[in-house]
Amino acid sequence: MALTLTVAALPLWGHLGLGEECLARVDHILALPGVQPTPEQLIALEAARAGALVNRDRTGTLVTETWRRISRFEGQVDAPRQKLQVLLADLGSAWMGGRFRDCLTAGQRVRDTATAARERAYIGVGERMIGSSLFYLGELSEARTLIEKALRNGVWLSRYGFDVHSHFDERVAAFCDLAQILMLQGFPERALEMAAANVDRATKTGYAPTICYALGMSTCRIMLDAAEPTTAERYVGMLMDYMARPGLDLWRMVADTLAGALLSRRGEHEAAVVALRAVVERLRETHVWSFQTLSLGYFAIALLEAGRFVEASETIDEALDRCQQSEEFWSYARFLMLKAEILLKGKLGHTCNIESYFMRALAVADRQGAVFWKQRIFDGLNSIGLDVARPT
């Protein structure tokens, strides 16, 4: 009876964000002598553990191990819901490890399995994850199409948290990616408006991880990139306020990264270097690939603005290498452009070398349709005396 009640309560703990209580109850029930969960029950318990751990496991070791235990059940369960939980575990592990091509495959399997089983909530989740994977892979137009399609079933996306132990609202997550895509495609006003509205949407859930997701995964970044320091300061401050709550260790590092980037934006370059150096080292201990790459980009900008050109060049080289390893190309044009700017301002390379980085950045941005970065790249090319025709 205790086992049955615990499994039945898992969606409630997930929806209410009661991660500590969930972990305690799951560990307690699994430690009881004589309790023999079925594979379906064990998958549900482990999925709940992963959902509770993902925001508080600083290194990512425990949550990754939990996802791997769930993945071992593939082929051992017939119920559609449990099959989907196994696939979602594969997807979570791939995203945390920066295997974005594997994320795309897992998202497609989630969608196809959900479609066959007529699990409407999970169809939208699969489409959202396909779109998100395409976004990280730099396929902006395809990503936007899939995410907008998923959002047309927004009610079902939001219901996902009731069905399994989810650590954020899927509809909020979809708007995070869509706002960033709109920003890159050259619609900053729409992106800013959507990002702000998404924070309001997340706040209404009353669920701290969802609010942190909205702030840390898109809104603060968009405000910083759009040179909206006053608004960015408000949202970064809002994210920092949530860090006083327990169980948000991972988001604390994201908040520190964005706070360091805000210092750089304000012109406090030495303070930004100190702050971002510290958070980069802390993030190296985690398993969250994308957060590490993001922090390296902000760190390189701070080093550039502080006049530490050699270290800035080494830092952006590491970020570029990571992008190539994981195919995390959504920020690749920006990093190539930043490399060119570092070489130019630091007088570290010949004009032809600087030009090659700018031209590579332009080629990537043009293929992706990243109009936002193309404008900056044209400015950089003109600064070295190349008159390149701008897009109409």
Side-chain angles (χ1 to χ4, degrees), residues 35-107:
V35 172
Q36 296 291 331
T38 65
E40 289 78 8
Q41 289 173 323
L42 196 52
I43 289 171
L45 291 166
E46 292 287 18
R49 185 198 298 278
L53 283 171
V54 73
N55 294 300
R56 55 179 46 77
D57 182 9
R58 184 181 293 272
T59 66
T61 305
L62 296 176
V63 69
T64 300
E65 289 176 354
T66 304
W67 278 325
R68 285 173 181 164
R69 287 198 296 271
I70 298 172
S71 297
R72 296 190 188 112
F73 284 98
E74 185 167 2
Q76 298 182 35
V77 290
D78 296 320
R81 189 65 55 83
Q82 278 68 48
K83 285 183 178 180
L84 288 162
Q85 286 181 326
V86 171
L87 293 175
L88 288 168
D90 290 341
L91 199 154
S93 180
W95 186 86
M96 185 168 279
R99 303 191 310 276
F100 297 107
R101 190 67 61 180
D102 290 344
C103 287
L104 177 60
T105 300

Coordinates of all heavy atoms in Angstrom, one line a residue, residues 35-107:
V35 N 9.8 -4.9 -0.1 CA 9.1 -4.1 -1.2 C 9.8 -4.5 -2.5 O 11.0 -4.4 -2.7 CB 9.2 -2.6 -0.9 CG1 8.7 -1.8 -2.2 CG2 8.4 -2.2 0.3
Q36 N 8.9 -4.9 -3.5 CA 9.4 -5.3 -4.8 C 8.6 -4.6 -5.9 O 7.6 -5.1 -6.4 CB 9.2 -6.9 -5.0 CG 10.0 -7.7 -4.0 CD 11.5 -7.7 -4.3 OE1 11.9 -7.4 -5.5 NE2 12.3 -7.8 -3.3
P37 N 9.1 -3.4 -6.3 CA 8.4 -2.6 -7.3 C 8.4 -3.4 -8.6 O 9.4 -4.1 -9.0 CB 9.2 -1.3 -7.4 CG 10.0 -1.3 -6.2 CD 10.3 -2.7 -5.8
T38 N 7.3 -3.2 -9.4 CA 7.3 -3.7 -10.8 C 8.2 -2.8 -11.6 O 8.6 -1.7 -11.2 CB 5.9 -3.7 -11.3 OG1 5.5 -2.3 -11.4 CG2 4.9 -4.5 -10.5
P39 N 8.6 -3.3 -12.8 CA 9.4 -2.4 -13.7 C 8.7 -1.1 -13.9 O 9.4 0.0 -13.9 CB 9.6 -3.2 -14.9 CG 9.5 -4.6 -14.5 CD 8.5 -4.6 -13.4
E40 N 7.4 -1.1 -14.1 CA 6.7 0.2 -14.3 C 6.8 1.1 -13.1 O 7.0 2.3 -13.3 CB 5.2 -0.1 -14.6 CG 5.0 -0.8 -16.0 CD 5.3 -2.3 -16.0 OE1 5.6 -2.8 -14.9 OE2 5.3 -2.9 -17.1
Q41 N 6.6 0.5 -11.9 CA 6.7 1.3 -10.7 C 8.1 1.9 -10.5 O 8.3 3.0 -10.1 CB 6.3 0.5 -9.5 CG 4.8 0.2 -9.4 CD 4.4 -0.7 -8.3 OE1 5.2 -1.7 -8.0 NE2 3.3 -0.5 -7.7
L42 N 9.1 1.0 -10.8 CA 10.5 1.4 -10.6 C 10.9 2.5 -11.5 O 11.6 3.5 -11.2 CB 11.4 0.2 -10.8 CG 12.8 0.4 -10.2 CD1 12.8 0.8 -8.8 CD2 13.6 -0.9 -10.4
I43 N 10.4 2.5 -12.8 CA 10.6 3.5 -13.7 C 10.0 4.8 -13.2 O 10.7 5.9 -13.3 CB 10.1 3.2 -15.1 CG1 10.9 2.1 -15.8 CG2 10.0 4.4 -16.1 CD1 10.3 1.5 -17.0
A44 N 8.8 4.8 -12.7 CA 8.1 6.0 -12.2 C 8.9 6.6 -11.1 O 9.1 7.8 -11.0 CB 6.7 5.7 -11.8
L45 N 9.4 5.7 -10.2 CA 10.1 6.2 -9.0 C 11.5 6.8 -9.4 O 11.9 7.9 -8.9 CB 10.4 5.0 -8.0 CG 9.1 4.5 -7.3 CD1 9.5 3.1 -6.6 CD2 8.6 5.5 -6.3
E46 N 12.2 6.2 -10.3 CA 13.5 6.7 -10.8 C 13.3 8.0 -11.6 O 14.1 8.9 -11.5 CB 14.2 5.7 -11.6 CG 14.6 4.4 -10.9 CD 15.8 4.7 -10.0 OE1 16.1 5.9 -9.7 OE2 16.5 3.7 -9.6
A47 N 12.2 8.1 -12.4 CA 11.9 9.3 -13.1 C 11.7 10.5 -12.2 O 12.1 11.6 -12.4 CB 10.7 9.1 -14.1
A48 N 10.9 10.2 -11.1 CA 10.7 11.2 -10.1 C 12.0 11.6 -9.4 O 12.2 12.8 -9.1 CB 9.7 10.7 -9.0
R49 N 12.9 10.7 -9.1 CA 14.2 11.0 -8.5 C 15.0 11.9 -9.5 O 15.5 12.9 -9.0 CB 15.0 9.7 -8.3 CG 16.3 9.9 -7.6 CD 17.2 8.8 -7.7 NE 16.6 7.5 -7.2 CZ 16.7 7.2 -5.9 NH1 17.3 8.0 -5.0 NH2 16.2 6.1 -5.4
A50 N 15.0 11.6 -10.8 CA 15.7 12.4 -11.7 C 15.1 13.9 -11.8 O 15.9 14.8 -11.8 CB 15.7 11.8 -13.1
G51 N 13.8 14.0 -11.8 CA 13.2 15.3 -11.8 C 13.5 16.1 -10.6 O 13.7 17.3 -10.7
A52 N 13.6 15.4 -9.4 CA 13.9 16.1 -8.2 C 15.4 16.5 -8.1 O 15.7 17.5 -7.5 CB 13.5 15.3 -7.0
L53 N 16.2 15.7 -8.7 CA 17.7 15.9 -8.6 C 18.2 16.9 -9.6 O 19.2 17.6 -9.3 CB 18.4 14.6 -8.8 CG 18.5 13.6 -7.7 CD1 19.0 12.3 -8.1 CD2 19.3 14.1 -6.5
V54 N 17.5 17.1 -10.7 CA 18.1 17.8 -11.8 C 18.5 19.3 -11.5 O 19.4 19.8 -12.0 CB 17.2 17.7 -13.1 CG1 16.0 18.6 -12.9 CG2 18.0 18.1 -14.3
N55 N 17.7 19.9 -10.6 CA 18.0 21.3 -10.2 C 18.9 21.4 -9.0 O 19.4 22.5 -8.8 CB 16.7 22.0 -9.9 CG 15.8 22.1 -11.0 OD1 16.1 22.7 -12.0 ND2 14.6 21.5 -11.0
R56 N 19.2 20.3 -8.3 CA 20.0 20.4 -7.1 C 21.3 19.6 -7.1 O 22.1 19.7 -6.2 CB 19.2 20.0 -5.9 CG 18.6 18.6 -6.0 CD 17.7 18.1 -4.9 NE 16.8 19.1 -4.3 CZ 15.6 19.4 -4.9 NH1 15.3 18.9 -6.0 NH2 14.8 20.3 -4.3
D57 N 21.5 18.8 -8.2 CA 22.7 17.9 -8.3 C 23.8 18.8 -8.9 O 23.8 18.9 -10.2 CB 22.4 16.7 -9.1 CG 23.6 15.8 -9.2 OD1 24.6 16.0 -8.6 OD2 23.5 14.8 -10.0
R58 N 24.6 19.3 -8.1 CA 25.6 20.3 -8.6 C 26.5 19.7 -9.7 O 26.8 20.4 -10.7 CB 26.5 20.8 -7.5 CG 27.5 21.9 -7.8 CD 28.3 22.3 -6.6 NE 27.5 23.0 -5.6 CZ 27.3 24.3 -5.6 NH1 27.8 25.0 -6.6 NH2 26.5 24.8 -4.7
T59 N 27.0 18.5 -9.6 CA 27.8 17.9 -10.6 C 27.1 17.2 -11.7 O 27.6 17.0 -12.8 CB 28.8 16.9 -10.0 OG1 28.1 15.8 -9.5 CG2 29.6 17.6 -8.8
G60 N 25.8 16.9 -11.5 CA 25.1 16.1 -12.5 C 25.3 14.7 -12.4 O 24.7 13.9 -13.2
T61 N 26.2 14.2 -11.5 CA 26.5 12.8 -11.5 C 25.3 11.9 -11.1 O 25.0 10.9 -11.7 CB 27.6 12.5 -10.5 OG1 28.8 13.3 -10.9 CG2 28.1 11.1 -10.5
L62 N 24.6 12.3 -10.0 CA 23.5 11.5 -9.5 C 22.3 11.4 -10.5 O 21.8 10.4 -10.7 CB 23.0 12.1 -8.2 CG 24.0 12.1 -7.0 CD1 23.4 12.8 -5.8 CD2 24.4 10.6 -6.7
V63 N 22.0 12.6 -11.1 CA 20.9 12.6 -12.0 C 21.2 11.8 -13.3 O 20.4 11.1 -13.9 CB 20.4 14.0 -12.4 CG1 21.4 14.8 -13.2 CG2 19.1 14.0 -13.1
T64 N 22.5 11.9 -13.8 CA 22.9 11.1 -14.9 C 22.8 9.6 -14.7 O 22.4 8.8 -15.5 CB 24.3 11.5 -15.4 OG1 24.3 12.9 -15.7 CG2 24.7 10.7 -16.6
E65 N 23.3 9.2 -13.5 CA 23.2 7.8 -13.1 C 21.8 7.3 -13.0 O 21.4 6.2 -13.4 CB 23.9 7.6 -11.7 CG 25.4 7.7 -11.8 CD 26.0 7.6 -10.4 OE1 25.3 7.5 -9.4 OE2 27.3 7.6 -10.3
T66 N 20.9 8.2 -12.5 CA 19.4 7.8 -12.5 C 18.9 7.6 -13.9 O 18.1 6.7 -14.1 CB 18.7 8.9 -11.7 OG1 19.2 9.1 -10.4 CG2 17.2 8.5 -11.6
W67 N 19.2 8.6 -14.8 CA 18.7 8.4 -16.2 C 19.2 7.1 -16.8 O 18.5 6.5 -17.5 CB 19.1 9.6 -17.0 CG 18.2 10.8 -16.8 CD1 16.9 10.8 -16.6 CD2 18.6 12.2 -16.8 NE1 16.4 12.1 -16.5 CE2 17.4 13.0 -16.7 CE3 19.8 12.9 -17.0 CZ2 17.5 14.4 -16.7 CZ3 19.9 14.2 -17.0 CH2 18.7 15.0 -16.8
R68 N 20.5 6.8 -16.5 CA 21.0 5.6 -17.1 C 20.3 4.3 -16.5 O 20.1 3.3 -17.3 CB 22.5 5.5 -16.8 CG 23.3 6.4 -17.6 CD 24.8 6.5 -17.2 NE 25.6 7.4 -18.0 CZ 26.8 7.8 -17.7 NH1 27.3 7.4 -16.5 NH2 27.4 8.7 -18.4
R69 N 19.9 4.3 -15.3 CA 19.2 3.2 -14.7 C 17.8 3.1 -15.4 O 17.4 2.0 -15.7 CB 19.0 3.4 -13.2 CG 20.3 3.1 -12.4 CD 19.9 2.9 -10.9 NE 19.3 4.0 -10.3 CZ 20.0 5.0 -9.7 NH1 21.3 5.0 -9.7 NH2 19.3 6.0 -9.1
I70 N 17.2 4.2 -15.7 CA 15.9 4.2 -16.4 C 16.1 3.6 -17.8 O 15.3 2.8 -18.3 CB 15.3 5.6 -16.4 CG1 15.0 6.1 -15.0 CG2 14.0 5.5 -17.2 CD1 14.5 7.5 -15.0
S71 N 17.2 4.0 -18.5 CA 17.4 3.6 -19.9 C 17.6 2.1 -20.0 O 17.3 1.5 -21.1 CB 18.6 4.3 -20.4 OG 18.5 5.7 -20.4
R72 N 18.0 1.5 -18.9 CA 18.2 0.0 -19.0 C 16.9 -0.7 -19.1 O 16.9 -1.9 -19.5 CB 18.9 -0.5 -17.7 CG 20.4 0.1 -17.6 CD 21.1 -0.6 -16.5 NE 22.4 0.0 -16.3 CZ 22.7 0.7 -15.2 NH1 21.9 0.8 -14.2 NH2 23.9 1.2 -15.1
F73 N 15.7 -0.1 -18.9 CA 14.4 -0.7 -19.0 C 13.9 -0.7 -20.4 O 12.8 -1.3 -20.6 CB 13.4 0.0 -18.1 CG 13.6 -0.4 -16.6 CD1 14.3 0.5 -15.8 CD2 13.1 -1.5 -16.1 CE1 14.5 0.2 -14.4 CE2 13.3 -1.9 -14.7 CZ 14.0 -1.0 -13.9
E74 N 14.6 -0.1 -21.3 CA 14.1 -0.1 -22.7 C 13.9 -1.5 -23.2 O 14.8 -2.4 -23.1 CB 15.1 0.7 -23.6 CG 14.5 0.8 -25.0 CD 15.3 1.8 -25.9 OE1 16.3 2.4 -25.4 OE2 14.9 2.1 -27.0
G75 N 12.7 -1.8 -23.8 CA 12.4 -3.1 -24.2 C 11.8 -4.0 -23.2 O 11.4 -5.1 -23.5
Q76 N 11.8 -3.6 -21.9 CA 11.3 -4.4 -20.8 C 9.8 -4.0 -20.4 O 9.3 -4.7 -19.6 CB 12.2 -4.3 -19.6 CG 13.6 -4.9 -19.9 CD 14.4 -4.8 -18.6 OE1 14.0 -5.0 -17.5 NE2 15.7 -4.5 -18.8
V77 N 9.3 -2.9 -20.9 CA 8.0 -2.5 -20.6 C 7.2 -2.3 -21.8 O 7.7 -1.9 -22.9 CB 8.1 -1.1 -19.7 CG1 8.6 -1.4 -18.4 CG2 8.9 -0.1 -20.5
D78 N 5.9 -2.5 -21.7 CA 4.9 -2.4 -22.8 C 4.0 -1.1 -22.7 O 3.6 -0.6 -23.7 CB 4.1 -3.6 -22.9 CG 4.9 -4.9 -23.2 OD1 5.8 -4.8 -24.0 OD2 4.6 -5.9 -22.6
A79 N 3.8 -0.7 -21.5 CA 2.9 0.5 -21.3 C 3.5 1.7 -21.9 O 4.6 2.0 -21.7 CB 2.6 0.7 -19.8
P80 N 2.7 2.4 -22.7 CA 3.2 3.6 -23.5 C 3.8 4.7 -22.5 O 4.8 5.2 -22.9 CB 1.9 4.2 -24.2 CG 1.0 3.0 -24.3 CD 1.3 2.1 -23.1
R81 N 3.2 4.9 -21.4 CA 3.7 5.9 -20.5 C 5.1 5.6 -20.0 O 5.9 6.5 -19.9 CB 2.7 6.1 -19.3 CG 3.0 7.3 -18.4 CD 2.8 8.6 -19.1 NE 1.5 8.7 -19.7 CZ 0.4 9.1 -19.1 NH1 0.5 9.4 -17.8 NH2 -0.7 9.3 -19.7
Q82 N 5.3 4.3 -19.7 CA 6.6 3.9 -19.2 C 7.7 3.9 -20.3 O 8.8 4.3 -20.1 CB 6.6 2.5 -18.5 CG 6.1 2.5 -17.1 CD 4.7 2.9 -17.0 OE1 3.8 2.4 -17.7 NE2 4.3 3.9 -16.1
K83 N 7.2 3.5 -21.5 CA 8.1 3.6 -22.7 C 8.6 5.1 -22.9 O 9.8 5.3 -23.2 CB 7.4 3.1 -23.9 CG 7.2 1.6 -24.0 CD 6.6 1.3 -25.4 CE 6.4 -0.2 -25.5 NZ 5.8 -0.6 -26.8
L84 N 7.7 6.0 -22.7 CA 8.0 7.4 -22.9 C 8.9 7.9 -21.8 O 9.8 8.7 -22.1 CB 6.7 8.2 -23.0 CG 5.9 8.0 -24.2 CD1 4.4 8.5 -24.0 CD2 6.5 8.8 -25.4
Q85 N 8.7 7.5 -20.6 CA 9.6 7.9 -19.5 C 11.1 7.4 -19.8 O 12.0 8.1 -19.5 CB 9.1 7.4 -18.2 CG 7.9 8.2 -17.7 CD 7.4 7.7 -16.4 OE1 7.5 6.5 -16.1 NE2 6.9 8.6 -15.6
V86 N 11.2 6.2 -20.4 CA 12.5 5.7 -20.7 C 13.2 6.6 -21.8 O 14.3 6.9 -21.7 CB 12.4 4.2 -21.2 CG1 13.8 3.7 -21.7 CG2 12.0 3.3 -20.0
L87 N 12.4 6.9 -22.8 CA 12.9 7.8 -23.9 C 13.3 9.1 -23.4 O 14.3 9.7 -23.8 CB 11.9 7.9 -25.0 CG 11.6 6.6 -25.8 CD1 10.5 6.8 -26.8 CD2 12.8 6.1 -26.5
L88 N 12.4 9.7 -22.4 CA 12.7 11.0 -21.9 C 14.0 11.0 -21.0 O 14.7 12.0 -21.0 CB 11.6 11.5 -21.0 CG 10.3 11.9 -21.9 CD1 9.1 12.1 -20.9 CD2 10.6 13.2 -22.6
A89 N 14.3 9.8 -20.4 CA 15.5 9.7 -19.7 C 16.7 9.8 -20.6 O 17.8 10.4 -20.3 CB 15.5 8.4 -18.9
D90 N 16.6 9.1 -21.8 CA 17.7 9.1 -22.8 C 17.9 10.6 -23.2 O 19.0 11.0 -23.4 CB 17.3 8.2 -24.0 CG 17.4 6.8 -23.6 OD1 18.0 6.4 -22.7 OD2 16.8 6.0 -24.4
L91 N 16.8 11.2 -23.4 CA 16.8 12.6 -23.9 C 17.5 13.5 -22.9 O 18.4 14.4 -23.2 CB 15.4 13.1 -24.2 CG 15.3 14.3 -25.1 CD1 14.0 14.3 -25.8 CD2 15.4 15.6 -24.4
G92 N 17.1 13.4 -21.6 CA 17.7 14.2 -20.6 C 19.2 14.0 -20.4 O 20.0 15.0 -20.3
S93 N 19.6 12.8 -20.5 CA 21.0 12.4 -20.4 C 21.8 13.0 -21.6 O 22.9 13.6 -21.4 CB 21.2 10.9 -20.3 OG 22.6 10.6 -20.2
A94 N 21.3 12.9 -22.8 CA 21.9 13.5 -24.0 C 22.1 15.0 -23.9 O 23.1 15.5 -24.2 CB 21.2 13.0 -25.2
W95 N 21.0 15.7 -23.4 CA 21.1 17.1 -23.4 C 22.1 17.6 -22.3 O 22.9 18.5 -22.6 CB 19.7 17.7 -23.0 CG 19.7 19.2 -23.0 CD1 19.4 20.0 -24.1 CD2 20.0 20.1 -22.0 NE1 19.6 21.3 -23.8 CE2 19.9 21.4 -22.5 CE3 20.3 19.9 -20.6 CZ2 20.1 22.5 -21.7 CZ3 20.5 21.0 -19.8 CH2 20.5 22.3 -20.4
M96 N 22.1 16.9 -21.2 CA 23.1 17.4 -20.2 C 24.5 17.1 -20.6 O 25.4 17.9 -20.3 CB 22.8 16.6 -18.9 CG 23.7 17.1 -17.7 SD 23.1 16.4 -16.1 CE 21.8 17.6 -15.7
G97 N 24.7 16.1 -21.4 CA 26.1 15.8 -21.9 C 26.4 16.5 -23.2 O 27.5 16.3 -23.7
G98 N 25.5 17.4 -23.7 CA 25.9 18.1 -24.9 C 25.8 17.3 -26.2 O 26.5 17.6 -27.2
R99 N 25.0 16.2 -26.2 CA 24.9 15.3 -27.4 C 23.6 15.7 -28.1 O 22.6 15.0 -28.0 CB 24.9 13.9 -27.0 CG 26.2 13.5 -26.2 CD 26.3 11.9 -26.0 NE 25.1 11.3 -25.6 CZ 24.7 11.2 -24.3 NH1 25.5 11.7 -23.3 NH2 23.6 10.6 -23.9
F100 N 23.7 16.9 -28.8 CA 22.4 17.4 -29.3 C 21.9 16.7 -30.5 O 20.7 16.7 -30.7 CB 22.7 18.9 -29.7 CG 23.0 19.7 -28.4 CD1 24.3 20.2 -28.2 CD2 22.1 20.0 -27.5 CE1 24.7 20.9 -27.1 CE2 22.4 20.7 -26.3 CZ 23.7 21.2 -26.2
R101 N 22.7 16.0 -31.2 CA 22.2 15.1 -32.3 C 21.4 14.0 -31.7 O 20.4 13.5 -32.3 CB 23.4 14.6 -33.2 CG 23.0 14.0 -34.5 CD 22.4 14.9 -35.5 NE 23.2 16.0 -35.9 CZ 22.9 16.9 -36.8 NH1 21.7 16.9 -37.3 NH2 23.7 17.9 -37.1
D102 N 21.9 13.4 -30.6 CA 21.2 12.4 -29.9 C 19.9 12.9 -29.3 O 18.9 12.2 -29.3 CB 22.1 11.8 -28.8 CG 23.3 11.0 -29.3 OD1 23.2 10.6 -30.5 OD2 24.2 10.7 -28.5
C103 N 19.9 14.1 -28.9 CA 18.7 14.8 -28.4 C 17.6 14.8 -29.5 O 16.4 14.5 -29.2 CB 18.9 16.2 -27.9 SG 19.8 16.3 -26.4
L104 N 18.0 15.1 -30.7 CA 17.1 15.2 -31.8 C 16.5 13.8 -32.1 O 15.3 13.7 -32.2 CB 17.9 15.7 -33.1 CG 17.1 15.7 -34.4 CD1 15.9 16.7 -34.2 CD2 18.0 16.2 -35.5
T105 N 17.3 12.8 -32.1 CA 16.8 11.4 -32.3 C 15.9 11.0 -31.2 O 14.8 10.4 -31.5 CB 18.0 10.4 -32.4 OG1 18.9 10.8 -33.4 CG2 17.5 9.0 -32.6
A106 N 16.2 11.3 -29.9 CA 15.4 10.9 -28.8 C 14.0 11.7 -28.9 O 13.0 11.1 -28.6 CB 16.1 11.2 -27.5
G107 N 14.1 13.0 -29.2 CA 12.9 13.7 -29.4 C 11.9 13.2 -30.4 O 10.7 13.1 -30.3

